[in-house]
Short mmCIF file of all heavy atoms in Angstrom, two decimals:
data_model
loop_
_atom_site.label_atom_id
_atom_site.label_comp_id
_atom_site.label_asym_id
_atom_site.label_seq_id
_atom_site.Cartn_x
_atom_site.Cartn_y
_atom_site.Cartn_z
N VAL V 500 17.25 -21.66 234.08
CA VAL V 500 16.97 -21.50 232.62
C VAL V 500 18.06 -22.21 231.88
O VAL V 500 17.81 -23.00 230.94
CB VAL V 500 16.74 -20.07 232.15
CG1 VAL V 500 16.59 -19.94 230.63
CG2 VAL V 500 15.54 -19.42 232.81
N PHE V 501 19.27 -21.91 232.17
CA PHE V 501 20.45 -22.50 231.52
C PHE V 501 20.38 -24.03 231.70
O PHE V 501 20.54 -24.68 230.60
CB PHE V 501 21.68 -21.86 232.23
CG PHE V 501 22.97 -22.24 231.51
CD1 PHE V 501 23.33 -21.52 230.35
CD2 PHE V 501 23.90 -23.14 232.04
CE1 PHE V 501 24.52 -21.75 229.74
CE2 PHE V 501 25.09 -23.31 231.41
CZ PHE V 501 25.39 -22.70 230.28
N ALA V 502 20.15 -24.54 232.76
CA ALA V 502 20.12 -25.98 233.03
C ALA V 502 18.90 -26.61 232.28
O ALA V 502 18.97 -27.70 231.68
CB ALA V 502 20.01 -26.33 234.48
N SER V 503 17.80 -25.90 232.36
CA SER V 503 16.55 -26.45 231.65
C SER V 503 16.80 -26.58 230.13
O SER V 503 16.22 -27.53 229.53
CB SER V 503 15.36 -25.57 231.85
OG SER V 503 15.17 -25.43 233.30
N ILE V 504 17.48 -25.67 229.62
CA ILE V 504 17.74 -25.76 228.12
C ILE V 504 18.52 -26.98 227.76
O ILE V 504 18.12 -27.71 226.83
CB ILE V 504 18.54 -24.49 227.68
CG1 ILE V 504 17.62 -23.27 227.68
CG2 ILE V 504 19.17 -24.65 226.23
CD1 ILE V 504 18.30 -21.95 227.37
N PHE V 505 19.46 -27.32 228.55
CA PHE V 505 20.24 -28.61 228.38
C PHE V 505 19.32 -29.77 228.56
O PHE V 505 19.30 -30.76 227.85
CB PHE V 505 21.42 -28.61 229.31
CG PHE V 505 22.67 -27.97 228.83
CD1 PHE V 505 22.87 -26.68 229.23
CD2 PHE V 505 23.49 -28.53 227.92
CE1 PHE V 505 24.02 -25.99 228.61
CE2 PHE V 505 24.58 -27.93 227.40
CZ PHE V 505 24.89 -26.63 227.79
N TYR V 506 18.58 -29.77 229.66
CA TYR V 506 17.78 -30.88 230.14
C TYR V 506 16.61 -31.16 229.10
O TYR V 506 16.40 -32.36 228.86
CB TYR V 506 17.19 -30.58 231.49
CG TYR V 506 16.44 -31.71 232.11
CD1 TYR V 506 17.02 -32.94 232.26
CD2 TYR V 506 15.08 -31.46 232.57
CE1 TYR V 506 16.34 -34.00 232.83
CE2 TYR V 506 14.39 -32.55 233.13
CZ TYR V 506 15.04 -33.79 233.29
OH TYR V 506 14.34 -34.88 233.88
N SER V 507 16.03 -30.10 228.51
CA SER V 507 14.94 -30.41 227.57
C SER V 507 15.38 -30.38 226.10
O SER V 507 14.46 -30.49 225.25
CB SER V 507 13.83 -29.32 227.81
OG SER V 507 13.32 -29.46 229.11
N LEU V 508 16.66 -30.25 225.88
CA LEU V 508 17.14 -30.19 224.54
C LEU V 508 16.61 -31.21 223.53
O LEU V 508 16.12 -30.98 222.44
CB LEU V 508 18.68 -30.08 224.46
CG LEU V 508 19.32 -29.69 223.09
CD1 LEU V 508 18.94 -28.33 222.73
CD2 LEU V 508 20.85 -29.92 223.18
N PRO V 509 16.68 -32.53 223.96
CA PRO V 509 16.25 -33.59 223.06
C PRO V 509 14.68 -33.42 222.73
O PRO V 509 14.25 -33.81 221.61
CB PRO V 509 16.51 -34.88 223.74
CG PRO V 509 16.72 -34.52 225.14
CD PRO V 509 17.21 -33.14 225.14
N PHE V 510 13.93 -32.87 223.67
CA PHE V 510 12.52 -32.73 223.42
C PHE V 510 12.15 -31.65 222.38
O PHE V 510 11.06 -31.70 221.85
CB PHE V 510 11.77 -32.48 224.78
CG PHE V 510 11.80 -33.68 225.63
CD1 PHE V 510 12.94 -33.85 226.46
CD2 PHE V 510 10.88 -34.67 225.64
CE1 PHE V 510 12.99 -34.95 227.30
CE2 PHE V 510 10.87 -35.80 226.45
CZ PHE V 510 12.04 -35.89 227.31
N ALA V 511 13.08 -30.79 222.17
CA ALA V 511 12.91 -29.83 221.03
C ALA V 511 13.60 -30.31 219.79
O ALA V 511 13.00 -30.19 218.66
CB ALA V 511 13.47 -28.44 221.61
N VAL V 512 14.83 -30.84 219.94
CA VAL V 512 15.59 -31.15 218.72
C VAL V 512 14.93 -32.32 217.95
O VAL V 512 14.75 -32.24 216.71
CB VAL V 512 17.02 -31.52 219.07
CG1 VAL V 512 17.74 -32.11 217.87
CG2 VAL V 512 17.83 -30.28 219.54
N GLN V 513 14.54 -33.37 218.68
CA GLN V 513 14.05 -34.56 217.92
C GLN V 513 12.75 -34.40 217.13
O GLN V 513 12.73 -34.69 215.93
CB GLN V 513 13.97 -35.71 218.93
CG GLN V 513 15.34 -36.16 219.33
CD GLN V 513 15.39 -37.39 220.17
OE1 GLN V 513 14.42 -38.03 220.50
NE2 GLN V 513 16.58 -37.81 220.41
N PRO V 514 11.74 -33.72 217.64
CA PRO V 514 10.57 -33.51 216.77
C PRO V 514 10.90 -32.65 215.55
O PRO V 514 10.46 -32.81 214.45
CB PRO V 514 9.55 -32.79 217.65
CG PRO V 514 9.99 -32.98 219.03
CD PRO V 514 11.50 -33.18 218.98
N LEU V 515 11.78 -31.53 215.81
CA LEU V 515 12.12 -30.71 214.73
C LEU V 515 12.89 -31.39 213.69
O LEU V 515 12.72 -31.29 212.53
CB LEU V 515 12.98 -29.48 215.22
CG LEU V 515 12.12 -28.44 215.98
CD1 LEU V 515 13.16 -27.39 216.70
CD2 LEU V 515 11.30 -27.66 215.02
N GLN V 516 13.88 -32.23 214.15
CA GLN V 516 14.72 -33.04 213.20
C GLN V 516 13.90 -33.88 212.34
O GLN V 516 14.03 -33.99 211.12
CB GLN V 516 15.79 -33.83 213.93
CG GLN V 516 16.81 -34.42 213.00
CD GLN V 516 17.82 -35.30 213.81
OE1 GLN V 516 17.88 -35.18 215.05
NE2 GLN V 516 18.51 -36.22 213.09
N THR V 517 12.90 -34.58 213.01
CA THR V 517 12.08 -35.52 212.28
C THR V 517 11.25 -34.82 211.21
O THR V 517 11.08 -35.23 210.11
CB THR V 517 11.04 -36.29 213.19
OG1 THR V 517 11.94 -36.88 214.28
CG2 THR V 517 10.28 -37.35 212.57
N ALA V 518 10.69 -33.64 211.62
CA ALA V 518 9.87 -32.83 210.70
C ALA V 518 10.76 -32.36 209.53
O ALA V 518 10.29 -32.46 208.31
CB ALA V 518 9.30 -31.65 211.47
N PHE V 519 11.94 -31.78 209.70
CA PHE V 519 12.82 -31.33 208.66
C PHE V 519 13.19 -32.53 207.75
O PHE V 519 13.30 -32.33 206.54
CB PHE V 519 14.02 -30.72 209.28
CG PHE V 519 13.77 -29.33 209.93
CD1 PHE V 519 14.46 -28.90 211.02
CD2 PHE V 519 12.80 -28.49 209.35
CE1 PHE V 519 14.23 -27.78 211.64
CE2 PHE V 519 12.55 -27.30 210.02
CZ PHE V 519 13.32 -26.86 211.15
N GLN V 520 13.47 -33.69 208.39
CA GLN V 520 13.89 -34.84 207.52
C GLN V 520 12.69 -35.28 206.61
O GLN V 520 12.97 -35.68 205.46
CB GLN V 520 14.25 -36.01 208.39
CG GLN V 520 15.78 -35.99 208.76
CD GLN V 520 16.18 -36.95 209.85
OE1 GLN V 520 15.22 -37.53 210.55
NE2 GLN V 520 17.45 -37.05 210.12
N SER V 521 11.51 -35.17 207.11
CA SER V 521 10.34 -35.62 206.26
C SER V 521 10.11 -34.62 205.13
O SER V 521 9.46 -35.07 204.08
CB SER V 521 9.12 -35.85 207.12
OG SER V 521 8.60 -34.55 207.50
N ILE V 522 10.56 -33.46 205.26
CA ILE V 522 10.39 -32.51 204.13
C ILE V 522 11.34 -32.90 202.98
O ILE V 522 10.96 -32.88 201.82
CB ILE V 522 10.73 -31.08 204.51
CG1 ILE V 522 9.75 -30.62 205.63
CG2 ILE V 522 10.67 -30.11 203.34
CD1 ILE V 522 10.25 -29.27 206.27
N GLY V 523 12.54 -33.31 203.32
CA GLY V 523 13.53 -33.71 202.29
C GLY V 523 14.10 -32.59 201.49
O GLY V 523 13.66 -31.44 201.70
N ARG V 524 15.08 -32.88 200.72
CA ARG V 524 15.81 -31.81 199.95
C ARG V 524 14.95 -31.32 198.80
O ARG V 524 15.14 -30.24 198.28
CB ARG V 524 17.15 -32.36 199.37
CG ARG V 524 18.17 -32.54 200.40
CD ARG V 524 19.33 -33.29 199.79
NE ARG V 524 20.35 -33.33 200.79
CZ ARG V 524 21.63 -32.99 200.62
NH1 ARG V 524 22.01 -32.76 199.42
NH2 ARG V 524 22.48 -33.14 201.56
N GLY V 525 14.05 -32.28 198.35
CA GLY V 525 13.31 -31.92 197.18
C GLY V 525 12.56 -30.56 197.18
O GLY V 525 12.67 -29.80 196.19
N MET V 526 11.89 -30.24 198.22
CA MET V 526 11.16 -29.05 198.34
C MET V 526 12.07 -27.80 198.27
O MET V 526 11.72 -26.80 197.73
CB MET V 526 10.29 -28.99 199.64
CG MET V 526 9.12 -29.96 199.60
SD MET V 526 7.96 -29.40 198.30
CE MET V 526 7.07 -30.94 198.04
N MET V 527 13.20 -27.98 198.97
CA MET V 527 14.18 -26.83 199.07
C MET V 527 14.77 -26.59 197.61
O MET V 527 14.99 -25.46 197.25
CB MET V 527 15.26 -27.22 200.02
CG MET V 527 14.85 -27.26 201.45
SD MET V 527 14.14 -25.75 202.07
CE MET V 527 15.56 -24.80 202.43
N GLU V 528 14.99 -27.68 196.88
CA GLU V 528 15.49 -27.55 195.50
C GLU V 528 14.51 -26.91 194.68
O GLU V 528 14.81 -26.03 193.79
CB GLU V 528 15.86 -28.92 195.01
CG GLU V 528 17.08 -29.52 195.60
CD GLU V 528 17.47 -30.89 194.94
OE1 GLU V 528 16.63 -31.41 194.13
OE2 GLU V 528 18.58 -31.37 195.24
N ALA V 529 13.19 -27.33 194.80
CA ALA V 529 12.18 -26.62 194.04
C ALA V 529 12.09 -25.16 194.32
O ALA V 529 12.00 -24.39 193.36
CB ALA V 529 10.84 -27.29 194.30
N ALA V 530 12.23 -24.81 195.63
CA ALA V 530 12.15 -23.39 195.95
C ALA V 530 13.42 -22.61 195.32
O ALA V 530 13.20 -21.57 194.88
CB ALA V 530 12.15 -23.23 197.45
N ALA V 531 14.50 -23.30 195.32
CA ALA V 531 15.74 -22.61 194.77
C ALA V 531 15.54 -22.41 193.27
O ALA V 531 15.93 -21.29 192.85
CB ALA V 531 17.00 -23.50 195.03
N THR V 532 15.03 -23.38 192.63
CA THR V 532 14.85 -23.18 191.14
C THR V 532 13.71 -22.13 190.85
O THR V 532 13.67 -21.60 189.71
CB THR V 532 14.44 -24.47 190.37
OG1 THR V 532 13.18 -24.93 190.88
CG2 THR V 532 15.49 -25.50 190.56
N LEU V 533 12.96 -21.71 191.88
CA LEU V 533 11.99 -20.69 191.74
C LEU V 533 12.45 -19.28 192.20
O LEU V 533 11.69 -18.41 192.34
CB LEU V 533 10.65 -21.05 192.34
CG LEU V 533 9.93 -22.30 191.71
CD1 LEU V 533 8.89 -22.90 192.69
CD2 LEU V 533 9.36 -21.89 190.33
N GLY V 534 13.79 -19.22 192.52
CA GLY V 534 14.30 -17.93 192.80
C GLY V 534 14.49 -17.64 194.26
O GLY V 534 14.85 -16.53 194.64
#
Side-chain angles (χ1 to χ4, degrees):
Chain V
V500 173
F501 192 72
S503 301
I504 287 172
F505 276 96
Y506 185 55
S507 295
L508 191 64
F510 291 87
V512 169
Q513 290 188 355
L515 284 170
Q516 187 184 343
T517 307
F519 289 145
Q520 273 166 349
S521 71
I522 297 169
R524 287 173 175 224
M526 289 294 159
M527 296 297 283
E528 287 182 351
T532 62
L533 292 165

